[in-house]
């Protein structure tokens, strides 16, 4: 080109963050895993980490978000088909997640399988988060299905198999299956007692009591799953049902997809509104105890909300660090500017603390029969879901700002930061929004009563950090009394926040370097901190914290 006609050269722009290993470059995750699973083989994580950071998989993630799912209610002859068509990249992603055993597989394995799976789930989130919706639901549903032995016998092997098989055929012909859930109706999502869908007994079958369902669900994500757990009213009260999409004789069940939601983010995943016009469904668990039954599943999807958000936070911090390490302004790389160091270090602390808390919660699911871990599941599930998800949106906004204007631009799906930002609020809303989590924590504390086994368990959980930092000791001193007296609903969020911060600090003490623990305690627990990221005190060890988090 004629040099007089050229307007500019592209200079001082960062490169895409791709073809890197999201596992080996994540010190916080590796150190937490070394703590929870010492001596475990790292090779499978390294292989997954390389795949999750590869340009080829990132291209699938982009395409699956740009070419969003399309609903076909009828074929061109007017017959109902109730089918959602996905881009091939969606299938490639979901096949990879199932291949990695992130769905029902851990239930077929022994100790450690849930922590391993949690790490894989976080790494996959760094690639693409929305396709993990049916993966998470399939993981969560598997133990709840045990309450129907006939269904469990026919479905378990396929829920845990690592083969992806999207064909709409009866379970007997499938290599692998996925499952979703339908609870939320128009008149109530948090308050499930408001459900109006009705179930009428039809006949006894090898899968137990078959019912017919009439009603609707206002949100039912991933409607191409092979089956769903749903709630419906019976004469005995609200009950839980197993609802397959294709019936054993090969006909489509009467699940009519009305439309797909037009969502802020979560673009690659389809979320539908459905009506049941006499759909066949089989009871799971005791009639009238549907909420308890389905919440067994909800507890696990809440774990995944915390894990998924921690993964997205790590991805956002990696992108911010990668960019600021290259971009120059006012004579220095951004990462060298003192105030930007404060922002980046603060984000890195938040991300590491989220990773620590989410993985700790996953460990509680690995020890199903340990009474201490049962208490930790009960308390830390709402705490982690509440706190990690609340911090996610805030962190994403600040990480986006580190990229300046480019952070806000989509550019045909290349704008991964914009995708992360749009995804973040979802984990906080679905599976029990923030207030519901705080109220759930209060319920857990109240149930254990005075002189309280939860307070004792939390004290044991926090013990390894006692005496290690004055701010920590001061912060946790009042917790037992607050737990004992937990009754005021208006205090629910504060209590959830403070339990989260205390447990995060105790974990950082055990598997992060001292400079991370010190900065976390001083800012989050000691109050030497502002109301925005980038307000750590000047004496903070900015450089080591940033170096630890750098994704290369
Ligand atoms: C993209 C997407 C996909 C979804 N997929 C599914 C799905 O597959 N299956 C499914 O069943 N659902 C699904 N949902 C629904 C989701 O779980 C609900 O939206 C959520 O549980 C909240 O219910 P709601 O929308 O009825 O809001 P409400 O229950 O009306 O709650 C509104 C607000 O009030 C608060 N609140 C409620 N009760 C109290 C109280 N007692 N005290 C203080 N505050 C309170 C809540 O915290 C919330 O902030 C999906 C939602 C989204 C956005």
């Amino acid at each position: 080109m004629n040099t007089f006609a050229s307007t500019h050269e592209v200079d001082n722009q960062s490169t895409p963050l791709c073809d890197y290993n999201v596992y080996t470059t994540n010190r916080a995750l590796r150190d937490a895993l070394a703590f929870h699973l010492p001596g475990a083989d790292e090779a499978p994580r390294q292989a997954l980490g390389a795949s999750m950071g590869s340009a080829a998989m990132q291209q699938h993630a982009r395409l699956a978000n740009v070419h969003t799912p399309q609903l076909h209610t009828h074929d061109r002859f007017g017959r109902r088909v109730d089918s959602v068509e996905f881009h091939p990249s969606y299938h490639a992603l979901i096949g990879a997640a199932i291949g990695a055993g992130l769905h029902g597989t851990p239930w077929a394995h022994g100790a450690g399988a849930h922590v391993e799976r949690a790490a894989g789930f976080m790494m996959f989130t760094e690639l693409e988060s929305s396709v993990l919706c049916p993966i998470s639901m399939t993981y969560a549903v598997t133990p709840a299905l045990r309450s129907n032995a006939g269904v469990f016998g026919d479905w378990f092997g396929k829920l845990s198999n690592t083969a992806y098989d999207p064909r709409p055929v009866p379970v007997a012909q499938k290599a692998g299956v996925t499952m979703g859930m339908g609870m939320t109706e128009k008149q109530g999502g948090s308050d499930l007692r408001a459900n109006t869908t009705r179930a009428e007994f039809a006949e006894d079958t090898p899968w137990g009591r078959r019912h017919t369902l009439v009603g609707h669900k206002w949100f039912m994500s991933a409607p191409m799953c092979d089956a769903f757990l749903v709630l419906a009213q019976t004469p005995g009260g609200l009950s839980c049902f197993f609802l397959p999409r294709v019936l054993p004789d090969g006909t489509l069940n009467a699940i009519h997809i009305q439309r797909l939601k037009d969502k802020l983010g979560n673009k690659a995943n389809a979320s539908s509104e459905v009506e049941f016009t006499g759909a066949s469904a089989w009871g799971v668990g005791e009639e009238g105890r549907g909420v308890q039954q389905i919440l067994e599943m909800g507890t696990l999807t809440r774990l995944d909300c915390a894990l998924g958000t921690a993964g997205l936070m790590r991805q956002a911090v990696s992108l911010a660090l990668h960019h600021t390490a290259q971009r120059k302004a006012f004579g220095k790389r951004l990462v060298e500017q003192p105030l930007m160091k404060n922002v980046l270090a603060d984000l890195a602390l938040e991300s590491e603390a989220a990773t620590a808390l989410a993985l700790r919660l996953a460990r509680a699911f690995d020890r199903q029969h340990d009474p201490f871990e049962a208490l930790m599941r009960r308390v830390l599930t709402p705490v982690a879901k509440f706190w990690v998800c609340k911090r996610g949106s805030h962190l994403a906004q600040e990480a986006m700002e580190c990229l300046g204007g480019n952070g806000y631009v989509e550019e045909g799906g290349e704008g991964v930061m914009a995708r992360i930002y749009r995804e973040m609020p979802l984990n906080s809303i679905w599976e029990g929004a923030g207030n519901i989590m705080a109220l759930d924590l209060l319920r857990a504390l109240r149930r254990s009563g005075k002189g309280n086994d939860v307070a004792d368990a939390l004290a044991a959980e926090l013990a390894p950090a006692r005496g290690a930092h004055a701010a920590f000791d001061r912060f946790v001193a009042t917790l037992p009394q607050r737990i004992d007296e937990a009754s005021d609903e208006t205090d629910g969020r504060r209590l959830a926040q403070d339990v989260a911060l205390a447990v995060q600090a105790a974990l950082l003490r055990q598997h992060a370097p001292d400079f991370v623990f010190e900065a976390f305690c001083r800012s989050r627990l000691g109050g030497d901190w502002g109301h925005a990221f980038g307000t750590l005190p000047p004496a903070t060890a900015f450089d080591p914290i940033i170096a630890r988090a750098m994704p290369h």
Side-chain angles (χ1 to χ4, degrees):
M1 185 191 286
N2 178 341
T3 45
F4 292 111
S6 100
T7 57
H8 66 285
E9 286 177 3
V10 177
D11 189 21
N12 195 25
Q13 290 281 359
S14 61
T15 55
L17 177 57
C18 67
D19 284 331
Y20 73 115
N21 190 312
V22 303
Y23 176 68
T24 55
T25 58
N26 189 343
R27 287 302 309 249
L29 178 64
R30 287 169 56 199
D31 287 350
L33 286 168
F35 174 75
H36 292 297
L37 297 176
D41 180 11
E42 285 192 286
R45 297 177 205 153
Q46 286 169 355
L48 186 64
S51 166
M52 298 296 96
S54 70
M57 290 304 277
Q58 288 180 352
Q59 175 74 337
H60 282 311
R62 185 183 78 78
L63 291 170
N65 276 275
V66 172
H67 302 287
T68 53
Q70 303 293 314
L71 172 63
H72 304 289
T73 54
H74 298 79
D75 68 11
R76 65 196 173 97
F77 306 104
R79 297 183 196 97
R80 285 213 76 108
V81 287
D82 294 293
S83 162
V84 180
E85 187 180 0
F86 293 93
H87 189 270
S89 285
Y90 171 90
H91 293 292
L93 290 168
I94 205 156
I98 289 175
L102 304 183
H103 59 318
T105 310
W107 302 106
H109 292 259
H114 293 274
V115 171
E116 279 296 354
R117 181 260 175 200
F121 192 86
M122 288 166 85
M123 287 192 262
F124 204 106
T125 307
E126 292 197 49
L127 172 67
E128 211 295 314
S129 167
S130 53
V131 302
L132 290 176
C133 170
I135 298 298
S136 173
M137 293 194 287
T138 305
Y139 170 62
V141 77
T142 303
L145 263 196
R146 288 199 186 102
S147 302
N148 181 323
V151 171
F152 190 76
D154 285 352
W155 284 70
F156 176 63
K158 298 180 183 183
L159 286 161
S160 53
N161 193 6
T162 51
Y164 174 48
D165 180 350
R167 292 172 306 143
V169 294
V171 63
Q173 296 168 34
K174 296 211 46 149
V177 292
T178 53
M179 280 190 69
M181 61 188 183
M183 299 178 283
T184 310
E185 297 187 2
K186 293 189 183 80
Q187 68 284 355
S190 308
D191 188 359
L192 295 173
R193 298 166 307 176
N195 270 208
T196 58
T197 297
R198 301 185 315 278
E200 263 183 38
F201 174 70
E203 60 178 339
D204 282 312
T205 75
W207 284 354
R209 288 159 63 78
R210 186 175 75 81
H211 287 65
T212 51
L213 262 49
V214 176
H216 83 281
K217 295 294 164 188
W218 182 231
F219 282 94
M220 201 166 90
S221 286
M224 289 300 97
C225 284
D226 296 286
F228 308 85
L229 277 193
V230 297
L231 291 178
Q233 300 286 357
T234 64
L238 194 59
S239 305
C240 181
F241 289 93
F242 172 80
L243 175 77
R245 192 158 62 87
V246 178
L247 294 170
D249 66 4
T251 56
L252 276 183
N253 206 354
I255 305 170
H256 295 158
I257 305 175
Q258 303 301 103
R259 58 177 172 172
L260 298 185
K261 300 284 192 189
D262 182 6
K263 299 173 285 186
L264 169 67
N266 197 248
K267 295 287 186 188
N269 182 34
S271 297
S272 66
E273 297 165 16
V274 294
E275 290 189 358
F276 310 134
T277 53
S280 287
W282 284 261
V284 178
E286 217 180 298
E287 203 172 297
R289 291 186 54 80
V291 173
Q292 291 84 344
Q293 185 71 38
I294 216 155
L295 282 186
E296 194 182 328
M297 175 178 186
T299 303
L300 288 153
T301 48
R302 286 168 184 175
L303 162 68
D304 280 0
C305 290
L307 290 169
T309 303
L312 286 172
M313 287 164 87
R314 167 63 192 165
Q315 173 72 346
V317 171
S318 296
L319 288 165
L321 288 165
H322 178 75
H323 176 81
T324 54
Q326 297 176 68
R327 175 84 164 176
K328 288 193 193 116
F330 301 98
K332 282 184 186 156
R333 291 183 305 141
L334 285 172
V335 75
E336 292 161 350
Q337 294 287 5
L339 189 50
M340 183 57 96
K341 285 187 188 188
N342 197 328
V343 173
L344 294 168
D346 214 355
L347 294 175
L349 285 181
E350 195 68 37
S351 167
E352 175 149 9
T355 293
L357 182 58
L359 267 192
R360 165 64 187 96
L361 178 58
R363 193 180 84 195
F365 289 89
D366 253 330
R367 302 180 186 177
Q368 290 285 330
H369 305 295
D370 177 336
F372 176 77
E373 294 297 327
L375 278 176
M376 284 295 122
R377 279 198 297 280
R378 188 71 189 91
V379 171
L380 292 187
T381 303
V383 161
K385 159 80 162 82
F386 170 73
W387 187 242
V388 172
C389 298
K390 282 283 164 250
R391 299 300 290 159
S393 288
H394 190 180
L395 179 140
Q397 187 279 324
E398 200 65 67
M400 176 186 277
E401 197 165 315
C402 293
L403 273 63
N406 287 355
Y408 195 67
V409 171
E410 297 270 3
E411 199 55 49
E414 306 283 350
V416 180
M417 198 64 106
R419 193 163 83 214
I420 294 171
Y421 183 73
R422 286 188 274 98
E423 190 73 12
M424 279 294 195
L426 182 54
N427 278 338
S428 190
I429 292 173
W430 66 9
E431 305 304 332
N435 286 354
I436 299 302
M437 291 302 95
L439 293 173
D440 195 44
L441 171 66
L442 292 183
R443 240 188 325 275
L445 299 181
R446 262 186 241 132
R447 195 190 293 170
S448 57
K450 278 225 174 256
N452 183 320
D453 45 357
V454 171
D456 293 347
L458 261 182
E461 182 72 17
L462 301 177
R466 278 194 195 277
H469 199 286
F472 179 87
D473 288 345
R474 271 196 305 276
F475 190 84
V476 302
T478 57
L479 269 186
Q481 190 189 348
R482 291 175 64 196
I483 287 168
D484 256 355
E485 292 168 0
S487 59
D488 180 357
E489 286 193 4
T490 60
D491 198 37
R493 279 186 177 224
R494 269 186 17 166
L495 193 55
Q497 164 195 280
D498 291 351
V499 172
L501 291 172
V503 174
Q504 285 180 322
L507 291 165
L508 295 178
R509 171 71 183 151
Q510 293 168 88
H511 55 68
D514 285 348
F515 53 81
V516 169
F517 174 66
E518 146 68 24
F520 187 87
C521 287
R522 195 160 167 190
S523 54
R524 274 73 172 167
L525 308 188
D528 194 357
W529 199 34
H531 293 287
F533 282 111
T535 52
L536 294 169
T540 303
F542 297 116
D543 289 333
I545 295 173
I546 290 171
R548 174 172 172 79
M550 193 58 81
H552 33 68

